[in-house]
Amino acid sequence: MTIHDYVPDTMQQLLLTALLAPNETAARAAADWLDRIDFDAIAEGDIRLMPMFSYRLTELGIDHPFSGRIRGLYRRAWYIDRTMRHDLAVALAGIASVSRAPVVLKGPALGVFAYANPAFRPFADLDVLVPPEDLRNVLDYLEVPGTTVDDPVFHAVTVRLANGREIDIHRSPYHMAFQPHHVGPLFGRLRPLAAGLIAPGAPACFTLGDADQLLHTLAHGLRANVVAPIRWVVDAAMIVQRAGGCFDWGLFIAEARRLELEAPAVLGLREVSRFCILPGLIETLASFERDTTERVLRRYRAEAMDQGPVNIWEKTRRNASGLARLQLFASFYRRVWGDDYVSEFFRKLFPALGKVSRSCMLWLTASFARVEPNPPGS
């Protein structure tokens, strides 16, 4: 199984340019992508952008032998979006009966408030954030015959419904910052969604405020993924564009620092700035870069691709200490690798220790190399 980095490859850069750049530049990139792509081998992450690309080709006046297939992917996405939103409406109605503030995350919410057409932002599962004090009530409500509920681990609990759908019930949008004091301030900045807006028949609910939405998009998008997760770049651009000149960059910076998410904020904004010009982005990026060293950024990028014991232990530090931290650490491995998690832990630990040993040797070698020899006759 291949794990993908967050950085778009050459073909994905062309696709993102076609979607986000000014028309003249976008038209050249779109034509280049169409001429070079092997459509039968297109990556899943790229397919997720085809509904919006279909609209963009029409907007740019581009017709190509692949245009019909791309429009077909839009129609398919539109149908799936309608079906998924129906299921979301049913689930939200139940969750809202036992939670004071259900918050719709990711694709379903982004589709209705950040994109011109909800089908431009496909989604495959349902993600709902609830206040920490409501989590147990929501899980008890959903745990009915035919439904399986995973043990709560880290930021979310996966609920598998009898119809095969999955709902992730979140106690935090952030994988590694999920204690009540991390999440509490977000609930004071929610964006209300009127009844029926997220889906026909859905109750009134909420989504994250703009600054929190962008930070969540960057922190989530920069994680390693089995599907190349390039749509996070488009999500980020759409969030800021929809806010216009009202986007609160000061709040975005403050939250990134409060949650120690400066690295994904910097790395994410760097990528977004390659494909479009957004008001306030360059100034915000400059502010972050003054305080965030390249060493920290390189370390974060390496850690984002690593699920080994040393890295997972480091990631638990925001949420627990002492015995509670050990229990959290063990629960992560048990959930990912099941009953065989102990042997899997040691299998991954020894290569990690080897890396630490090599790093120590390199540091010692460099330190001795900097020691000046004694002068003659001393």
Side-chain angles (χ1 to χ4, degrees):
M1 180 173 60
T2 302
I3 301 296
H4 295 276
D5 196 322
Y6 69 90
V7 179
D9 63 25
T10 301
M11 292 298 291
Q12 291 166 341
Q13 289 173 29
L14 288 173
L15 183 56
L16 290 169
T17 301
L19 291 171
L20 298 175
N23 285 356
E24 185 176 345
T25 303
R28 288 196 300 269
D32 197 4
W33 186 89
L34 288 165
D35 289 342
R36 295 170 61 182
I37 194 66
D38 178 358
F39 210 88
D40 293 322
I42 188 170
E44 175 62 27
D46 298 9
I47 288 177
R48 292 174 177 178
L49 294 176
M50 290 299 101
M52 186 174 176
F53 189 51
S54 173
Y55 172 80
R56 192 70 169 125
L57 291 179
T58 301
E59 193 175 47
L60 296 171
I62 295 175
D63 192 22
H64 188 274
F66 287 152
S67 295
R69 297 178 70 176
I70 294 170
R71 284 193 296 271
L73 289 172
Y74 163 74
R75 289 191 291 269
R76 177 175 177 269
W78 178 88
Y79 173 77
I80 293 174
D81 183 79
R82 300 277 292 199
T83 304
M84 293 289 290
R85 286 183 185 277
H86 173 268
D87 290 351
L88 176 59
V90 174
L92 272 177
I95 293 170
S97 70
V98 292
S99 175
R100 62 180 174 82
V103 182
V104 182
L105 300 175
K106 303 181 187 177
L110 290 171
V112 297
F113 91 85
Y115 284 78
N117 182 331
F120 290 170
R121 179 47 169 88
F123 59 97
D125 56 7
L126 311 175
D127 295 86
V128 180
L129 169 69
V130 298
E133 64 272 17
D134 293 345
L135 179 63
R136 190 65 261 168
N137 289 339
V138 171
L139 296 179
D140 289 344
Y141 172 84
L142 293 172
E143 196 166 6
V144 298
T147 296
T148 59
V149 179
D150 289 348
D151 293 333
V153 176
F154 282 25
H155 73 302
V157 183
T158 298
V159 179
R160 295 174 180 83
L161 304 178
N163 65 2
R165 295 274 190 237
E166 289 189 358
I167 305 179
D168 286 337
I169 303 298
H170 291 249
R171 52 179 166 176
S172 171
Y174 303 109
H175 284 77
M176 296 301 171
F178 49 80
Q179 294 303 320
H181 67 274
H182 294 136
V183 184
L186 278 65
F187 285 92
R189 301 190 290 264
L190 296 177
R191 172 195 290 266
L193 299 174
L197 180 61
I198 199 75
C205 54
F206 301 89
T207 190
L208 298 175
D210 290 341
D212 298 316
Q213 195 81 256
L214 179 61
L215 186 59
H216 175 223
T217 295
L218 298 181
H220 188 268
L222 267 66
R223 296 176 66 245
N225 202 313
V226 294
V227 176
I230 62 169
R231 70 178 174 194
W232 68 266
V233 178
V234 184
D235 287 345
M238 293 297 103
I239 291 165
V240 178
Q241 284 179 3
R242 284 289 175 173
C246 299
F247 188 86
D248 191 341
W249 288 108
L251 175 60
F252 174 81
I253 291 172
E255 277 297 281
R257 288 175 174 157
R258 182 179 75 87
L259 297 170
E260 300 179 59
L261 293 172
E262 298 99 323
V266 170
L267 293 170
L269 292 180
R270 280 182 181 176
E271 286 300 313
V272 174
S273 69
R274 296 171 61 194
F275 302 104
C276 57
I277 299 172
L278 298 172
L281 188 154
I282 299 302
E283 296 83 356
T284 301
L285 189 54
S287 173
F288 267 133
E289 288 178 328
R290 283 195 297 269
D291 303 326
T292 311
T293 67
E294 288 299 323
R295 177 177 173 274
V296 169
L297 298 178
R298 286 195 301 271
R299 179 182 175 187
Y300 179 87
R301 184 175 177 185
E303 288 178 347
M305 296 293 289
D306 177 19
Q307 294 295 305
V310 174
N311 187 33
I312 296 301
W313 177 253
E314 167 63 17
K315 288 180 177 178
T316 60
R317 65 182 170 79
R318 296 185 185 93
N319 301 284
S321 60
L323 181 59
R325 186 175 181 184
L326 285 171
Q327 291 171 331
L328 181 64
F329 179 74
S331 67
F332 172 84
Y333 271 91
R334 186 168 57 250
R335 180 176 180 182
V336 174
W337 286 293
D339 293 338
D340 197 35
Y341 75 97
V342 175
S343 60
E344 187 66 26
F345 166 79
F346 284 106
R347 190 181 72 79
K348 289 186 173 292
L349 179 62
F350 288 115
L353 288 177
K355 291 179 183 178
V356 172
S357 300
R358 285 193 296 275
S359 298
C360 289
M361 289 301 297
L362 288 171
W363 178 81
L364 288 171
T365 302
S367 298
F368 283 120
R370 290 194 294 268
V371 175
E372 294 293 335
N374 291 331
S378 61

